[in-house]
Amino acid sequence: MPPRDSLANTFLVSFVLCVVCSLAVSAAAVALRDRQEMNEVLDRQRNILDASGLALGEFGLPANRLSVDQVGELYSRVQERLVNLETGDYDTDLNPADYNPADAAKNRDLSVDVSDSEFNFGSRRREKVARVFLVKNPKTDEISQVVLPVRGQGLWSTLYGYLALRRDLETVQGLTFYEHGETPGLGGEVDNPRWKSQWVGLQAFDEEGNPALAVARGSAPSGSQHMVDGLSGATITGNGVTSLVQFWTGPEGYQKYLEKLAVELSSAEGDGNGNQ
């Protein structure tokens, strides 16, 4: 046994401590894995409820202040589906619970090249199949909203969020971001409830049907149906938000799906089964 204050003993103690700490961290990670996954799902559900306005509408509170039971009650109105963005049809071959769009975007067989897009998407490829969330009216079970996952490049990071459209598929119900690395107080103001509230009621498309949502440079023009105020000191982040919402509502994003969903909803109304 080397002397207690020898170099060899110091290395031995350090090695043993590293092994013990590594085992402890690994054990904790394994033990908490299920809880972490549950928290990720809960966080996703809360953001979808915020974008759709259900949390404020039912309980008068943002979703992050709702209990787990309250979130579950509201989220029971939401149906998750997978959509083939190339055709606009629902994909019934994949399981929404197991499908990861981010992984698909990295697979050349499961994605398409969008490097030539006019929008700064923040990535060279986009998954062929994307997830959508249909919000149902609890009384009639008819679709009242559709929530679209969106993402795009900001100044320092990729912004991940949800854009909710009302039943007419043109009027914005809400926009929220659940993950980004933008500068607090500047680009990070995308999380400001006052700024997010400006999106409610905007029209996603112009008279020709082109994506029209945008973040202004400075104050939005009075009475604008398509623009919100710019983010002070965060022009690049604002431009990124403009790009991502126009990309995902355009032909490279959910446009074909929205067109087919509009026909479906119109047919339901024509049969007398629609709900306003």
Side-chain angles (χ1 to χ4, degrees):
M1 183 75 179
R4 182 173 298 178
D5 58 352
S6 68
L7 182 61
N9 193 67
T10 300
F11 278 115
L12 177 62
V13 172
S14 299
F15 174 75
V16 172
L17 283 174
C18 287
V19 171
V20 171
C21 291
S22 297
L23 291 175
V25 171
S26 298
V30 172
L32 296 174
R33 182 176 300 162
D34 290 344
R35 180 174 295 181
Q36 292 171 341
E37 292 177 352
M38 290 175 58
N39 286 338
E40 288 178 1
V41 171
L42 181 62
D43 183 65
R44 182 184 72 184
Q45 293 177 350
R46 281 176 164 156
N47 277 280
I48 291 169
L49 294 178
D50 271 338
S52 65
L54 289 181
L56 285 175
E58 291 292 325
F59 295 103
L61 296 171
N64 62 3
R65 294 180 60 188
L66 299 183
S67 68
V68 174
D69 289 342
Q70 288 173 321
V71 171
E73 176 187 341
L74 289 181
Y75 200 77
S76 64
R77 306 180 190 178
V78 180
Q79 180 184 21
E80 300 184 17
R81 300 292 299 271
L82 295 178
V83 172
N84 186 318
L85 297 179
E86 306 301 291
T87 63
D89 298 320
Y90 291 115
D91 187 299
T92 57
D93 296 328
L94 298 171
N95 184 350
D98 300 328
Y99 180 70
N100 188 325
D103 290 342
K106 300 174 185 176
N107 187 320
R108 297 188 67 86
D109 294 331
L110 303 177
S111 62
V112 296
D113 190 328
V114 292
S115 57
D116 292 335
S117 174
E118 64 177 295
F119 304 110
N120 181 13
F121 175 54
S123 175
R124 297 181 62 86
R125 306 193 68 81
R126 187 265 294 152
E127 64 274 15
K128 293 179 180 179
V129 176
R131 186 178 275 110
V132 298
F133 303 89
L134 303 175
V135 181
K136 301 294 190 70
N137 183 311
K139 296 180 180 180
T140 64
D141 201 40
E142 295 293 325
I143 296 172
S144 61
Q145 294 182 49
V146 59
V147 182
L148 310 174
V150 296
R151 69 181 187 275
Q153 184 64 39
L155 174 59
W156 305 112
S157 66
T158 300
L159 296 99
Y160 297 87
Y162 296 106
L163 173 68
L165 299 177
R166 295 175 185 169
R167 184 179 171 85
D168 63 7
L169 305 181
E170 296 180 358
T171 306
V172 175
Q173 176 59 44
L175 175 68
T176 186
F177 293 100
Y178 62 89
E179 182 182 336
H180 65 82
E182 300 303 285
T183 307
L186 298 174
E189 286 297 287
V190 294
D191 295 326
N192 189 316
R194 292 185 179 179
W195 186 77
K196 290 193 295 184
S197 68
Q198 295 182 41
W199 292 87
V200 180
L202 292 184
Q203 297 299 299
F205 306 98
D206 61 20
E207 294 180 355
E208 286 73 40
N210 301 310
L213 293 173
V215 178
R217 293 189 177 183
S219 298
S222 178
S224 173
Q225 293 184 308
H226 309 295
M227 303 184 77
V228 299
D229 293 343
L231 299 165
S232 179
T235 300
I236 295 178
T237 300
N239 291 343
V241 173
T242 296
S243 288
L244 72 88
V245 292
Q246 293 192 8
F247 175 91
W248 287 106
T249 54
E252 296 170 304
Y254 294 100
Q255 187 180 79
K256 288 184 180 179
Y257 167 67
L258 293 175
E259 290 174 348
K260 290 195 173 184
L261 181 59
V263 173
E264 175 187 332
L265 296 179
S266 177
S267 297
E269 291 175 353
D271 292 338
N273 298 319
N275 178 67
Q276 295 293 337

